[in-house]
Amino acid sequence: MSQILLTTLNARYIHSSFGLRYLYANLHEFQKNTTIIEYVKKNDINDIVKDILSHEPKIVGIGVYIWNASETSRLIAAIKSKSPNTIIVLGGPEVSHSPLRVNFDLSDYIIQGEGDLEFYKLVKSILEKSKLPNRIIQAEIPKLSDIKLPYEYYNEEDIKNRVIYVEASRGCPFSCQFCLSSIDKMVRNFEIEIFLTEMDKLWLRGARHFKFVDRTFNLNIKITNQILDFFLEKDGEYFLHFEVIPDHFPDSLKEKLKFFPKGSIQLEIGIQTLNPTVANRIQRKLNFEKIKENVTFLSRETNSHLHLDLIIGLPGETVNSFGDNLNTLVSLTDSEIQLGLLKKLSGTSINRHDIEFGMIYSNEPPYEILENDIIPLTEMQKLKRLARYWDLFYNSGNFKRSINLLWSDDANVFETFYQFSNWLFSQLNTTWKIHLNKLAELLFSYLSEIKKVNKVNAAKQIITDISVVPDRRIPKFLKNSAPGFKANSVANVDKKIKRQIKHF
């Protein structure tokens, strides 16, 4: 039995809930009667409810995010139908801002904002039957020095099998209208010596995959360099993920990044748009020349794996303008370029453009844009499919070499891939659950029949790509098109490509 049960529905098993561990770390005297249990959102709701109620909890705290909001609503209803007296407390980004677009009416309390300390206060009030707060609780921004850090509560299974989430700071100084991080414009840093001590403890326990959730990791270069120095002094393989500001890479940081070996560091860079007019409209003020310079440097002079983000459907961004953004990035780097539709998140100010630009969004999570005044619904759907196929063929790393045959004679990558995407959908009528061999077959057919690429050359390139992963079977149609050809040993394949494939 546990008086308090903390849970959430993760997108995948490999993920771990950072927020639940913060709550647990700061429950003080109630910690001994608290249990953390994480589920995956594809798990059967009834099985989850049965497991939760087997602990006979008085209070169930649930972390709610954009990826699990609908499932969480169903989970709450199922818990209440079987155990109406169980008190359900919600927290997390998806319930921290109005309007709430998923029905959470059956929950008893909702903590909006950073709940690290507020959850303890609520639990204390409930269990000691003192004065109870209103159902919606606006959490005060806590002093980071008052928060007990959660890292010791990653268990051995987490360290062995899951991503370990960490943070050296909270907040973001920018005002990008599409982003929730723009709400808290003050960046707060954890005491760096204390933080690094916690990282060392994790390291000694065997943690090697650290995902920093800081929104602006390279804002304070002194702290950034201290963290990088900490890992550079470590022996053995590890993987670090940082979200960085694209136009803020002073020489000291550039030089330090050169020392990291292949496959050890990933930089997520939120480009979003390279159109100055669109960027100014959404209050994303960046130095675009410096961005191009930095992306080129990081791609060519360091071993960093880059993950660049572009947004489809920003107010005033035409299809051609978006295409120019993609073409520019492809010319600068061969790293991942994530294409995502604009989302209208509660709490952001992107809604100020709704009338002027005819912005219409889905009311269902993840609240993606459906159309605007210059991109109608049918075209937006084509771009959404393009983004999915781009993941499968370009970002996955499965076709790292052969995909370039699509535009070997055409500098307009976007237009070429747009045509390929439309052809793919005409053949598949879906963007999901497509086997690797089917993808290879489609790419080979398009290259040889539509683009008129030499069949033997196309087959050799695709075979080389597939052979990056050991023991993969080469489809018969490729063997027949390039008889006797065998790819070189995979031992020397770029670690960045291997990491990319593993990621997808």
Side-chain angles (χ1 to χ4, degrees), residues 16 24 27 56 67 87 104 132 160 169 177 200 246 279 324 414 423 442 459 472 492:
S16 57
Y24 184 83
L27 274 174
E56 300 181 23
W67 63 79
I87 297 172
F104 298 117
L132 295 173
K160 183 179 179 181
S169 65
Q177 294 173 354
D200 198 46
D324 289 341
F414 169 76
W423 180 84
L442 288 164
R472 272 183 176 171
N492 297 320

Side-chain angles (χ1 to χ4, degrees), residues 63-76:
V64 191
Y65 302 86
I66 195 170
W67 63 79
N68 70 12
S70 299
E71 292 85 355
T72 299
S73 179
R74 295 197 294 272
L75 175 61
I76 296 167

Side-chain angles (χ1 to χ4, degrees), residues 397-463:
N398 284 317
F399 303 99
K400 195 70 177 179
R401 298 163 183 81
S402 50
I403 194 66
N404 289 289
L405 295 175
L406 278 177
W407 45 76
S408 58
D409 59 348
D410 189 343
N412 195 328
V413 172
F414 169 76
E415 183 59 36
T416 303
F417 198 86
Y418 179 87
Q419 295 171 7
F420 179 49
S421 172
N422 290 336
W423 180 84
L424 285 169
F425 191 71
S426 72
Q427 304 299 306
L428 293 166
N429 201 35
T430 184
T431 60
W432 295 96
K433 298 182 178 180
I434 311 169
H435 193 274
L436 176 64
N437 285 356
K438 184 63 176 179
L439 295 175
E441 179 185 349
L442 288 164
L443 179 59
F444 178 74
S445 296
Y446 191 82
L447 288 172
S448 59
E449 297 172 13
I450 307 299
K451 298 293 290 184
K452 304 302 180 184
V453 174
N454 179 275
K455 285 188 176 184
V456 175
N457 185 37
K460 286 181 177 181
Q461 293 289 353
I462 298 173
I463 289 172

Side-chain angles (χ1 to χ4, degrees), residues 9 51 126 147 161 244 276 330 342 382 394 413 424:
L9 307 178
D51 190 48
I126 293 171
I147 299 175
N161 300 309
V244 294
V330 171
L342 176 65
K382 290 180 181 179
Y394 189 89
V413 172
L424 285 169

Side-chain angles (χ1 to χ4, degrees), residues 10 26 28 39 47 79 132 159 163 185 195 228 231 253 283 292 343 404 422 425 431 504:
N10 292 325
N26 291 278
H28 306 295
Y39 304 97
D47 290 340
I79 292 174
L132 295 173
I159 289 174
V163 176
K185 296 179 176 59
F195 173 77
L228 294 180
F231 286 104
L253 180 53
Q283 296 184 2
K292 295 174 184 178
K343 299 173 180 62
N404 289 289
N422 290 336
F425 191 71
T431 60
F504 275 83

